[in-house]
Amino acid sequence: METTKYALSGKKIWVAGHRGMVGAALMRRLEKENCTLLCATQDELDLRRQDQVEGWIKKNKPDCIFLAAAKVGGIWANNTYPAAFLYDNLMMEANIIHAAYINKVEKLLFLGSSCIYPRMAAQPMKEEALLSGPLEQTNEWYALAKIAGIKMCQAYRRQYGCNFIAAMPTNLFGAGDNYDPEGGHVVASLIQKAHKAKQSGAPSMELWGTGSPLREFLYVDDLADALVFLMENYDGEPHINVGSGLEYTILQLAKTIAKTVGFEGDFLFDDSKPDGTPRKLMDSSRMHAMGWRAPTSLEDGLKVAYQWFLDHKAS
Ligand code: GFB
């Protein structure tokens, strides 16, 4: 695959979604580069409004864009707010990608999610598994929006020659996660629950589903590093998986979190809540072949995530 090094030094870079977990990690990572960082808060710029996005890009003239803005949530939020997950994500990505084309942005990186792959895709999931079977029901709305984003990048490359690329991260966790027990993803929810159970001296904490689904977890600062690596080194049309290869059952994850937090009680299973997809392990061999691997263990990443929770969210 032909690639040209894209140097970030001296560039004006817009991190769309800089207050989200991924966007904030990107801001931390990009501070190490000699570049100018642009960002806009939700009050200044509603990314769902085409006129606002076109006006903002025209005025601020970014050289390149990390499209990390998205409406995200865990299994419950995805399943409960299908319209918002579909509409908000479609609008944000369509507006930013189209405005980037009109304003001749040099390079754009779009962020997807491992839920774009079919529910029963062969494991580990290769990039080619996209659109080869039915999606997982609990998050098909979000997945469809993310698939549209990948396809927009490919379409704008083909028709207009735009250097727009896409990365698909696996399940993420780290500083800045959403610790809402209902709306968040499993790692943040379980940190919050384990902390509360420990504080109150509860004999047990609750896990949704059966505890048997397998998930791969990637520390968000590792993802930010991978995204900068791709922006600098990758120019291809196919989207690229970014995983850690670290796969655990939800029960194994819960035990590791309990150890990090210091909760010594039992786990109860609420099987009225969905398990979602049974397994979601990425094949990250393309990333590995380019020379990038995730350096952080689950245990080390969890220590940072728990400390961030204690500093910002714990009561
Ligand atoms: O992280 P999570 O919400 O999302 O849930 P998905 C992962 C697994 O953890 C599911 C179980 O099997 C949940 O049932 N789980 C156990 C819990 N206890 C809890 C809990 O207290 N909170 C949560 N949230 N889960 C999301 C998608 O799927 O993954 C998104 O809905 C996105 O679209 C994201 O792709 C990365 O891994 O199932």
Side-chain angles (χ1 to χ4, degrees):
M1 194 174 304
E2 210 174 295
T3 53
T4 331
K5 175 98 178 170
Y6 181 75
L8 294 179
S9 180
K11 300 285 184 194
K12 264 170 110 175
I13 302 177
W14 179 29
V15 177
H18 72 288
R19 285 197 168 158
M21 177 170 68
V22 173
L26 268 169
M27 297 292 280
R28 288 194 290 279
R29 173 62 185 79
L30 287 166
E31 273 163 15
K32 295 180 194 155
E33 304 294 323
N34 178 29
C35 56
T36 304
L37 292 176
L38 303 175
C39 53
T41 63
Q42 274 176 10
D43 292 342
E44 289 167 73
L45 175 60
D46 184 342
L47 296 171
R48 295 167 301 181
R49 296 288 305 274
Q50 186 183 32
D51 55 342
Q52 291 188 24
V53 174
E54 289 189 0
W56 193 90
I57 293 187
K58 195 172 171 194
K59 183 166 164 230
N60 291 281
K61 300 186 176 36
D63 297 310
C64 84
I65 300 176
F66 287 89
L67 206 177
K71 179 170 182 64
V72 298
I75 193 166
W76 179 85
N78 268 267
N79 211 13
T80 309
Y81 306 115
F85 274 82
L86 190 54
Y87 176 81
D88 287 8
N89 286 307
L90 282 174
M91 295 305 284
M92 286 190 258
E93 67 204 25
N95 289 340
I96 295 174
I97 291 169
H98 189 68
Y101 151 63
I102 295 175
N103 288 283
K104 301 187 172 49
V105 169
E106 293 169 0
K107 196 159 182 182
L108 176 147
L109 187 154
F110 172 72
L111 265 145
S113 161
S114 58
C115 67
I116 59 161
Y117 293 115
R119 172 182 164 83
M120 299 313 284
Q123 306 282 320
M125 302 181 296
K126 289 186 184 303
E127 286 84 354
E128 293 79 12
L130 183 63
L131 294 173
S132 62
L135 296 166
E136 155 64 25
Q137 293 286 300
T138 53
N139 56 36
E140 69 171 335
W141 323 95
Y142 179 73
L144 281 165
K146 289 294 180 184
I147 293 169
I150 299 171
K151 290 295 168 192
M152 275 195 81
C153 290
Q154 294 177 349
Y156 279 65
R157 292 181 78 84
R158 287 191 187 188
Q159 190 175 339
Y160 304 127
C162 299
N163 192 359
F164 295 171
I165 60 173
M168 296 305 115
T170 194
N171 284 38
L172 301 168
F173 71 100
D177 209 341
N178 171 9
Y179 284 87
D180 168 29
E182 283 206 316
H185 290 95
V186 64
V187 174
S189 301
L190 296 189
I191 287 178
Q192 200 266 0
K193 285 185 191 176
H195 176 78
K196 229 172 134 187
K198 179 186 152 189
Q199 262 195 334
S200 65
S204 60
M205 63 178 268
E206 190 186 82
L207 303 185
W208 294 353
T210 60
S212 62
L214 286 154
R215 292 291 184 275
E216 179 189 21
F217 297 102
L218 178 67
Y219 178 54
V220 72
D221 289 81
D222 288 353
L223 173 71
D225 191 60
L227 299 178
V228 169
F229 178 89
L230 285 170
M231 185 64 97
E232 288 177 330
N233 295 296
Y234 181 69
D235 278 337
E237 180 179 294
H239 63 278
I240 300 289
N241 288 345
V242 187
S244 61
L246 304 172
E247 192 186 31
Y248 301 84
T249 66
I250 296 304
L251 180 58
Q252 285 170 332
L253 171 75
K255 288 180 177 169
T256 313
I257 288 176
K259 201 169 157 201
T260 307
V261 170
F263 168 67
E264 291 176 346
D266 294 328
F267 303 103
L268 296 179
F269 297 93
D270 175 0
D271 59 13
S272 71
K273 296 281 196 317
D275 269 344
T277 196
R279 193 178 178 199
K280 244 196 308 193
L281 177 65
M282 295 279 217
D283 180 327
S284 300
S285 46
R286 286 193 184 169
M287 234 10 222
H288 297 165
M290 284 187 265
W292 187 92
R293 273 177 195 273
T296 309
S297 69
L298 179 67
E299 288 78 4
D300 286 349
L302 284 177
K303 280 183 202 148
V304 179
Y306 183 44
Q307 191 56 51
W308 191 91
F309 170 82
L310 289 175
D311 293 343
H312 296 87
K313 300 285 169 184
S315 48

